[in-house]
Amino acid sequence: MPQQAASCSFDFLSALEVPKRLHPSALGLSSLVRRSVSARRHQAFKRVGRGRSRDLTGSQAASMSAEDRRNLHAFRDYVTKTLDPTCILSYMAPWFKDDEVQHIQAEKNNKGTMEAASLFLKFLLELQEEGWFRGFLDALVHAGYSGLHEAIETWDFQKIESLEEYRILLKRLQPEFKTTVNPKDILPKISECLISQECEEIIQVCSNKGLMAGAEKMVECLLRSDKENWPKTLKLALEMDENKFSQLWMVDKGAKNAESKVLEDDEIETSDIQIFYKEEPECQNLSQNLSPPSGTQHSSPTCTPLKPRNYQLELALPAKEGKNTIICAPTGCGKTFISLLICEHHLKKFPQGQKGKVVFFAIQLPVFEQQKSVFSKYFEKLGYKVAGVSGVTSENILMEQIVENNDIIILTPQILVNNLRNGTIPSLSVFTLMIFDECHNTGKHHPYNMIMFNYLDQKLGDSSDPLPQVIGLTASVGIGDAKNTMEAMEYICKLCASLDTSVIATVKDNLEELEEIVYKPQKFFRKVESRTTDRFKCIISQLMRETESLAKNIFDELESVSQIQNRNFGTQKYEQWIVSVQKACMVFQLPDKDEESRICKALYLYTSHLRKYNDALIISEHARMKDALDYLKDFFTDVRAAGFDEIEQHLTQRFEEKLKELESVSMDPSNENPKLQDLSFILQEEYHLNPESRTILFVKTRALVDALKKWIEENSELSFLKPGILTGRGKTNHNTGMTLPAQKCALDAFRTDGDKKILIATSVADEGIDIAQCNLVILYEYVGNVIRMIQTRGRGRARGSKCFLLTSNADVIEKEKINIYKENMMNDSILRLQTWDKAVFKEKVLQIQIQEKLIRDSQGKVEPVPDKENKKLLCRKCKGFACYTADIRVVEDCHYAVVGDAFKKCYVSKLHPKPKTFGHFEKRAKIFCARQNCSHDWGIHVKYKTFEIPVIKIESFVVEDITTGAQKLYAKWKDFPFEKRSFDPTEMSE
C-alpha cells in the first residue's frame, strides 16, 4: 500500500462538543469573541509571526481547536445563511463519509439549502480527525467563498452582517424582480458575486423551467452571496441593461466603496474550481519522509521539510549548480517535486536586495491548473507569491503587473509568446529561471520554440542583458524520424540546442532506488480478429456509393479535384478525401453564379453526409453497430431541425428506408464485435484477480469514448466499473470537447471515488496530467510515436501493473514494437552523449544554434503587403454574398466585426446556447447565413461596450477578388492580407 502524505495543516486535536449558544449578534458578542480570539492567537503566535505554529504544545493546540469549534458553533447562523454545502463537498471528501455526503445532498433536495448547511455543520463539528478546520477553510477558498472564508479566518462577520439590509430589500422586491429581470441578460455581469456552481444552476433552471423560475433562483443565490460588493454590482448590471428594476434597487447607503471593491474583488477572486490532482508516486511516495514540503529560510514552522530521494537529488543536481538542464526521467518519479526543489534552491540563492523570478510553462490547461495548485500550496507557505495565467484567465489581466508582483508565475506558453510579441514583456531577462514541462515539444512552430527563438536571438545577438536559467522536464526526449543511433544523437542535440541546455540529467547512480518507486508495467499485445461478416458495413457502404453517385451527377469532375486515390469507406484516408473535396468545392467557380451556388451547396451537403457515414463505419469497426447507428440517428435528427432542403430530404429518406434493417442488424447478438468480447474478457479477468484495480482505457476519438462508455454501462458484467471519460477541450467536426471544469471533475472523480474504476480517455490523458495511481492501462487501437508510448505506459504506476495493446490490425502491433526499439535507441543515444567532453558538447550545441538562426533569419517572415483592393466574402456553403472587406473592422486587435446595415440582411441570428461575457464583449447570439436552406454558421452577435455588432469567423467564408473573380480560402484572419481598419465608434452613430 502506498504511504499517505501527511497534511501540512495545523494539528487540531479533538475537543468536546460545544453546547448550543445564542446567536452572537443577539448578545452583542461579535466584537467580544473577535477580541478574545485575537488576544489568544497573538499570545500563541508572537514567537513565530504569521501562521499556525508547529511549536505549540498539545494543550495549546487542543485549546485552539476547541476555540475554533466553539466559534464556528456560535456563528453558525451566518454560515447556514451563506453556504451551499453541496458546492464544497467535493473538497471535503477526506473528512466526510459517503453516506454523510449523500445525506447532505438529499437534505438540500428535500428541505432546502439552509437545512443542508445546518446538517453539514452538525457533521463538521462532530469531526475528531486532525486538520478538519483548516480543511474546511481551504474548501471555502477553492469553492469561491472568499467572504465567508475571511469572516471565519478572523472571526469577524461585520461585512457579511452589513449585507443583511440588502437581503431584506431583495426579499421584499422578489415578486417585481421575477417579472422584470431577465436572468440570462444580467448573469454574466454579476457572476463574480456568485459561486460558479450557482451560475450553472441558474442557467439550467432558465432552460428547464423558464426565465421567471431562473430569476427566482438568482434571487435565492444572491441572498446567500458572501461578496461585499454584490448589491452595487447588481445595481450596475441593471443600469447597463436599462432595466426598470434598477429604480427600485437603492444601494447608495452603506455601499459608497462598493464600486472600487468590484475591481479589487476581480483581482483576488476566482470562480474556477480548484482541484488538487495527486498521483501517488509524485506526491505521496516521492520522498523518504511523509511530511509536506517546506524550506528553511522562509519556511513556516508548521511544516517539516520533505527529504528528497537520492535519485531525485541526482536529477536536480546540475540544475541546482545553475546549469541549463533537460531532466529526462520516467513518469511517476516525481519530476514536479524535483522542479519544486530546484525553484526553492534558485529563489533562496539570491543575496539580500535581489530577487529571483521563476516562470513555469504547462501546455495543457488541466496540467496548468494542476501545477498552479501544487506550486501555490508549496511556495505560499514559504512566503513566496505565486500566480497563474492561461488563455482561459488572461482576459482583463495586466501581465506586467502579474510578473512584477509575483515570485513564481505559471503560464501556458502562448501567453508569454503573445506578450513578448506585443512588447508587454520587453524581454526574457525579467525572469531568472524558466521551466518547460513536457519540453520534448520544443520544435517547429510550437510556442515553446517561439519563446526559445526569442532567448537565442538575445543570446546570439548584441544584448548584454542576463538570460534566465532553462530547465526542461520530460519522460522522453524522443528521436524524431531517426533510423539509427547517430541520427538519434543528432536529433537530441538539436533539442538541447533549442533549449540551450548543456546537460541531460538521467538517473544512473541511483537506478535501483528509482526502479523500486517507478514500476514499469508488463506489456501485452492482443491481436483480435474483426467480424467475419459485416452486414451493417454493407448497407452503409451502399448508401455512401449512392451519395457519391449523386455528387458526381452534380459535378462529374468530382474524382479529379483530389489527389487522394484508393480510398476505402470507413478509413482515415476517406476522411482526408472528403476534406480535400470540400476545400476544392468551396473555391469552385462558374460563369453562372446561381448555378455555382447551387452546385457548391449540393456538394457541401453530399460530402457532409459521406463524412458522417464514414464516422459511423469507424465507430462500428471498433465498438457496437448500435453505437454507430445511434450516431447516425442523432445526425439526421439535427439535419431535420436545420434547413432540411430537397437534397437533405432525399438523403434522409434513403437512410430511413434502410433504418429498419440497420436496427435489426445492430441488435443481432451474432454481430457482436470480437474486439469488445476480448476487451470484456481482459477487464473481467483483471478485476477477478484484483477487484480494486484501477484502469485507464485509451482510445483515438471522442466518438469512440462515448461509444465505449455506453457499452460498459449497458453491459451487465461490466457496469460495476462505472466509467468516467476524459477528452480534449477543442472543437472537432462540429463536436465540442469537455470544458476545463468538466475535465477537472472527471479526474477528481477517478482519483477519489472508489466506485469509478475505469477512465476512458483520448490523448489528452497521456501527457502531463497527474492521474490517480492505476494498475491497468489498455490501449484500444491506440498507438503513436515513441514519446506517446512512454507517456501512456507511464500511467500504470502500481506494482504489478499491466499494459495491454488490443487491436485487429497487425500493423499497429508492429508499430508499437518499433516504438520499443526506438526507446532503446533513445536511451543508448543519451548515454553516449553523456560521455562526451563538456566543451565538445557545448560547442556542438552552439554550432546548431548558429546554423538554425541563420536559416531562421534567411527565411525571415516577410510581412505581406496588405491588399488595399476591396474583396467579397461569400458563404462557404452556398456561395451567397455576405459582405465586402471594406465593411470589416478590427475590434481590440483580434475580433472582426462587420459594420453597416447591408450585412444585417444577409444573416439571421439565434440566441447563443452558452452566452458569456469576456472583457468588453458579451456573447449573445449565433449568426447564420440567411439564404434559404443554408443556415451556415458565420459567427456570433455580441454587445461590445454599448454597441451591438456581428463578429464573423473567416473559416466560414470564401474570399473572392472582385476584379479577377479568383477565390481563396483562409483558415485564420492573420493569414488574410487585406487592409485592416480598426473599429471606430463614431461610424456606428452615423
Side-chain angles (χ1 to χ4, degrees):
M1 289 290 288
Q3 294 171 304
Q4 295 298 312
S7 170
C8 193
S9 54
F10 179 80
D11 291 334
F12 286 95
L13 302 179
S14 58
L16 297 173
E17 178 61 31
V18 183
K20 291 188 177 180
R21 298 164 182 262
L22 292 172
H23 191 289
S25 61
L27 297 174
L29 292 178
S30 181
S31 59
L32 179 64
V33 169
R34 195 164 60 253
R35 287 196 299 271
S36 173
V37 170
S38 176
R40 271 183 275 181
R41 284 191 172 172
H42 176 72
Q43 291 299 318
F45 297 159
K46 63 181 180 180
R47 294 184 314 238
V48 295
R50 295 188 333 162
R52 299 177 183 273
S53 172
R54 69 176 175 185
D55 296 324
L56 293 176
T57 65
S59 60
Q60 285 175 314
S63 171
M64 290 186 63
S65 181
E67 178 183 65
D68 288 328
R69 199 185 296 272
R70 285 195 299 272
N71 288 338
L72 188 57
H73 192 277
F75 288 101
R76 66 190 182 279
D77 283 1
Y78 288 114
V79 179
T80 56
K81 284 181 180 180
T82 306
L83 178 66
D84 181 346
T86 62
C87 294
I88 68 168
L89 284 177
S90 62
Y91 305 106
M92 295 295 292
W95 313 104
F96 282 6
K97 300 173 184 175
D98 288 345
D99 58 342
E100 291 175 335
V101 171
Q102 293 169 8
H103 193 173
I104 293 167
Q105 290 171 331
E107 193 78 351
K108 178 183 175 180
N109 295 336
N110 298 328
K111 296 183 180 180
T113 306
M114 283 188 65
E115 288 75 10
S118 296
L119 182 63
F120 171 88
L121 273 182
K122 176 179 178 294
F123 289 148
L124 187 69
L125 292 168
E126 289 172 352
L127 289 173
Q128 301 300 319
E129 291 87 350
E130 296 177 358
W132 66 269
F133 185 73
R134 176 53 54 187
F136 173 50
L137 289 177
D138 290 345
L140 292 175
V141 172
H142 297 322
Y145 284 102
S146 54
L148 187 58
H149 172 270
E150 180 187 347
I152 296 176
E153 184 84 332
T154 60
W155 297 118
D156 182 356
F157 284 80
Q158 286 185 344
K159 290 181 181 178
I160 291 180
E161 195 165 22
S162 68
L163 296 170
E164 188 60 25
E165 62 182 298
Y166 301 114
R167 295 193 186 99
I168 294 169
L169 178 61
L170 187 56
K171 283 180 184 177
R172 196 174 297 153
L173 298 174
Q174 184 176 10
E176 186 71 12
F177 187 100
K178 285 167 55 178
T179 56
T180 58
V181 174
N182 183 333
K184 286 187 175 180
D185 286 347
I186 69 165
L187 182 59
K189 304 181 186 71
I190 67 166
S191 59
E192 63 179 9
C193 301
L194 304 173
I195 304 302
S196 56
Q197 181 174 317
E198 292 175 334
C199 295
E200 293 168 4
E201 288 176 357
I202 291 168
I203 293 170
Q204 191 67 36
V205 171
C206 288
S207 301
N208 296 340
K209 299 182 180 180
L211 296 180
M212 285 184 66
E216 191 170 0
K217 180 68 177 178
M218 180 175 282
V219 169
E220 176 190 329
C221 295
L222 284 170
L223 291 173
R224 279 200 306 272
S225 177
D226 64 341
K227 308 300 184 293
E228 186 185 8
N229 63 309
W230 78 257
K232 183 68 174 180
T233 303
L234 177 60
K235 177 72 171 177
L236 294 173
L238 293 167
E239 289 175 347
M240 286 174 67
D241 268 21
E242 299 179 347
N243 191 292
K244 66 179 184 180
F245 187 83
S246 65
Q247 299 170 7
L248 302 173
W249 187 243
M250 307 299 291
V251 296
D252 290 336
K253 180 183 176 182
K256 58 185 176 182
N257 295 321
E259 193 163 2
S260 62
K261 277 294 291 179
V262 172
L263 296 176
E264 294 170 21
D265 290 344
D266 273 348
E267 293 177 8
I268 62 173
E269 292 177 17
T270 173
S271 61
D272 235 3
I273 304 169
Q274 293 288 323
I275 298 176
F276 295 90
Y277 300 112
K278 296 182 181 178
E279 55 185 19
E280 278 72 4
E282 284 274 351
C283 299
Q284 292 188 4
N285 198 24
L286 51 73
S287 65
Q288 294 185 17
N289 67 332
L290 296 178
S291 301
S294 180
T296 53
Q297 181 182 349
H298 287 73
S299 65
S300 162
T302 64
C303 300
T304 303
L306 279 174
K307 184 179 179 183
R309 296 186 180 276
N310 290 328
Y311 75 80
Q312 292 171 328
L313 292 173
E314 181 183 351
L315 289 169
L317 182 60
K320 284 187 172 184
E321 292 174 347
K323 297 172 183 174
N324 287 2
T325 306
I326 291 177
I327 296 173
C328 183
T331 304
C333 72
K335 288 192 293 294
T336 297
F337 175 60
I338 293 167
S339 68
L340 296 177
L341 296 177
I342 293 168
C343 279
E344 185 175 357
H345 178 271
H346 178 83
L347 291 170
K348 288 180 177 178
K349 76 177 184 181
F350 287 88
Q352 191 73 26
Q354 296 182 31
K355 286 181 65 176
K357 197 168 292 289
V358 178
V359 59
F360 184 104
F361 298 110
I363 300 168
Q364 295 188 24
L365 274 169
V367 180
F368 162 83
E369 290 288 337
Q370 169 186 290
Q371 301 298 59
K372 186 176 72 170
S373 294
V374 170
F375 273 75
S376 297
K377 191 175 184 181
Y378 187 104
F379 281 103
E380 287 176 357
K381 287 181 170 64
L382 306 181
Y384 295 108
K385 293 181 180 179
V386 180
V389 183
S390 70
V392 173
T393 61
S394 61
E395 290 288 344
N396 299 325
I397 285 179
L398 296 175
M399 270 301 296
E400 58 265 48
Q401 288 186 12
I402 293 290
V403 173
E404 176 67 26
N405 298 333
N406 291 279
D407 302 296
I408 301 169
I409 303 98
I410 316 296
L411 295 178
T412 47
Q414 190 62 45
I415 295 295
L416 183 56
V417 172
N418 295 344
N419 282 275
L420 286 169
R421 190 176 291 154
N422 64 28
T424 303
I425 294 177
S427 83
L428 294 174
S429 296
V430 300
F431 304 111
T432 57
L433 174 64
M434 299 195 300
I435 302 178
F436 294 83
D437 194 28
E438 309 299 346
C439 68
H440 54 265
N441 291 289
T442 312
K444 297 183 179 178
H445 296 292
H446 191 278
Y448 277 1
N449 225 16
M450 298 296 106
I451 292 168
M452 288 309 298
F453 286 168
N454 192 294
Y455 175 103
L456 293 170
D457 286 347
Q458 191 171 331
K459 173 186 174 180
L460 301 173
D462 300 325
S463 175
S464 59
D465 293 336
L467 284 165
Q469 183 183 358
V470 177
I471 305 297
L473 307 173
T474 184
S476 168
V477 293
I479 60 170
D481 297 323
K483 302 294 189 298
N484 54 53
T485 303
M486 291 303 294
E487 291 180 7
M489 290 169 67
E490 186 69 20
Y491 178 90
I492 296 169
C493 284
K494 285 186 177 179
L495 178 64
C496 291
S498 296
L499 287 162
D500 195 37
T501 51
S502 58
V503 178
I504 304 172
T506 59
V507 178
K508 292 190 287 186
D509 298 337
N510 300 281
L511 204 53
E512 287 186 13
E513 182 191 44
L514 173 66
E515 289 171 350
E516 288 176 6
I517 302 303
V518 180
Y519 318 118
K520 190 173 179 179
Q522 291 179 274
K523 190 142 194 177
F524 301 91
F525 300 100
R526 298 286 287 254
K527 172 71 167 62
V528 188
E529 296 301 320
S530 297
R531 296 183 181 94
T532 51
T533 59
D534 196 337
R535 180 61 187 154
F536 184 91
K537 184 173 183 178
C538 291
I539 298 169
I540 297 299
S541 297
Q542 179 58 36
L543 288 171
M544 292 177 78
R545 281 190 288 271
E546 290 177 10
T547 307
E548 276 193 7
S549 179
L550 290 168
K552 289 173 185 174
N553 289 340
I554 287 286
F555 183 53
D556 54 10
E557 298 177 23
L558 183 67
E559 291 290 345
S560 64
V561 299
S562 172
Q563 302 301 313
I564 299 174
Q565 303 297 323
N566 302 320
R567 61 190 186 275
N568 294 315
F569 296 143
T571 63
Q572 286 297 119
K573 199 169 186 179
Y574 193 85
E575 165 88 5
Q576 293 165 7
W577 176 79
I578 290 171
V579 171
S580 64
V581 168
Q582 283 188 333
K583 286 183 177 178
C585 293
M586 288 169 187
V587 293
F588 167 73
Q589 290 179 273
L590 287 174
D592 185 338
K593 291 302 174 184
D594 288 337
E595 181 66 5
E596 177 187 317
S597 174
R598 185 185 72 82
I599 290 175
C600 287
K601 181 185 168 189
L603 290 176
Y604 181 91
L605 293 174
Y606 287 135
T607 51
S608 295
H609 280 68
L610 286 169
R611 187 179 216 162
K612 292 297 179 180
Y613 281 136
N614 194 64
D615 289 346
L617 288 181
I618 293 173
I619 295 170
S620 175
E621 169 68 20
H622 301 314
R624 297 177 298 180
M625 293 176 179
K626 173 182 179 295
D627 301 312
L629 185 57
D630 288 344
Y631 179 81
L632 288 175
K633 284 180 179 177
D634 290 342
F635 168 66
F636 280 101
T637 299
D638 292 341
V639 168
R640 282 184 171 278
F644 206 51
D645 70 358
E646 189 176 324
I647 291 174
E648 290 172 311
Q649 290 173 28
H650 174 70
L651 292 174
T652 303
Q653 181 184 345
R654 286 295 296 132
F655 171 73
E656 289 176 345
E657 287 170 0
K658 298 290 184 180
L659 184 56
K660 190 172 183 180
E661 185 179 1
L662 287 168
E663 286 179 331
S664 175
V665 169
S666 66
M667 298 304 291
D668 187 344
S670 66
N671 290 323
E672 187 174 353
N673 196 327
K675 278 190 281 193
L676 291 182
Q677 291 176 323
D678 204 58
L679 177 58
S680 177
F681 173 79
I682 292 171
L683 289 169
Q684 289 184 61
E685 182 72 11
E686 293 302 319
Y687 280 90
H688 174 72
L689 294 172
N690 180 7
E692 300 305 314
S693 288
R694 309 283 287 170
T695 305
I696 301 179
L697 174 61
F698 284 102
V699 299
K700 285 192 291 189
T701 66
R702 293 175 188 168
L704 199 51
V705 167
D706 295 334
L708 290 180
K709 180 176 185 289
K710 286 173 63 179
W711 169 68
I712 291 174
E713 289 172 337
E714 295 172 10
N715 187 319
S716 59
E717 295 175 324
L718 299 176
S719 58
F720 73 94
L721 297 174
K722 296 186 178 177
I725 65 170
L726 181 65
T727 66
R729 301 178 67 248
K731 188 175 180 181
T732 58
N733 291 355
H734 307 293
N735 294 320
T736 303
M738 291 179 77
T739 63
L740 182 59
Q743 286 179 331
K744 290 192 285 188
C745 287
L747 285 165
D748 188 52
F750 185 62
R751 180 178 66 85
T752 60
D753 188 345
D755 289 338
K756 290 192 177 296
K757 299 179 182 296
I758 187 168
L759 184 70
I760 310 171
T762 56
S763 60
V764 70
D766 69 19
E767 184 173 286
I769 300 175
D770 290 340
I771 306 175
Q773 186 181 42
C774 72
N775 62 313
L776 182 60
V777 175
I778 301 176
L779 312 177
Y780 190 76
E781 294 286 2
Y782 184 95
V783 68
N785 57 22
V786 64
I787 294 174
R788 177 169 286 182
M789 180 195 74
I790 293 168
Q791 295 281 4
T792 52
R793 182 186 65 203
R795 296 301 132 202
R797 311 290 177 78
R799 191 178 295 277
S801 56
K802 300 176 184 177
C803 179
F804 288 89
L805 172 60
L806 196 155
T807 179
S808 59
N809 187 345
D811 291 342
V812 171
I813 292 177
E814 189 59 33
K815 187 173 183 181
E816 193 72 350
K817 288 181 178 178
I818 291 172
N819 283 338
I820 294 172
Y821 170 76
K822 286 185 173 182
E823 180 185 11
N824 293 330
M825 187 192 299
M826 178 191 75
N827 292 333
D828 184 45
S829 300
I830 292 173
L831 286 172
R832 291 195 188 190
L833 288 170
Q834 288 172 332
T835 65
W836 281 23
D837 179 80
K838 293 178 182 177
V840 172
F841 185 77
K842 189 173 182 180
E843 181 62 24
K844 171 73 173 176
V845 164
L846 179 60
Q847 290 305 315
I848 293 173
Q849 291 173 343
I850 293 171
Q851 184 181 1
E852 291 292 319
K853 179 169 170 53
L854 286 171
I855 294 171
R856 202 159 60 244
D857 291 345
S858 66
Q859 297 173 342
K861 201 170 181 183
V862 179
E863 289 293 327
V865 178
D867 189 342
K868 297 184 179 182
E869 294 295 323
N870 201 7
K871 302 282 192 295
K872 286 182 182 179
L873 263 63
L874 312 177
C875 174
R876 276 203 191 185
K877 181 177 178 181
C878 71
K879 286 292 191 76
F881 172 77
C883 67
Y884 292 103
T885 53
D887 300 324
I888 297 173
R889 300 291 181 270
V890 185
V891 187
E892 295 192 0
D893 296 327
C894 56
H895 304 289
Y896 291 77
V898 183
V899 298
D901 293 333
F903 185 62
K904 294 177 182 178
K905 300 173 184 176
C906 298
Y907 70 84
V908 293
S909 61
K910 296 178 183 177
L911 286 177
H912 203 287
K914 295 180 179 178
K916 180 183 177 183
T917 298
F918 50 98
H920 295 114
F921 296 87
E922 182 186 343
K923 184 164 60 176
R924 291 188 164 188
K926 290 181 69 68
I927 62 174
F928 305 89
C929 178
R931 295 193 79 184
Q932 187 175 11
N933 298 324
C934 180
S935 300
H936 191 49
D937 184 354
W938 281 2
I940 58 175
H941 199 278
V942 303
K943 183 175 182 181
Y944 173 64
K945 296 182 178 178
T946 59
F947 306 104
E948 300 280 347
I949 53 174
V951 175
I952 59 174
K953 47 188 180 182
I954 190 62
E955 62 263 35
S956 295
F957 300 93
V958 175
V959 177
E960 181 178 279
D961 189 294
I962 296 175
T963 306
T964 65
Q967 295 181 349
K968 284 187 178 181
L969 301 176
Y970 295 97
K972 299 178 180 178
W973 281 109
K974 67 176 184 178
D975 300 327
F976 180 18
F978 72 105
E979 187 176 31
K980 298 175 174 67
R981 295 172 58 186
S982 297
F983 179 79
D984 184 354
T986 59
E987 287 187 282
M988 304 298 291
S989 59
E990 292 175 359

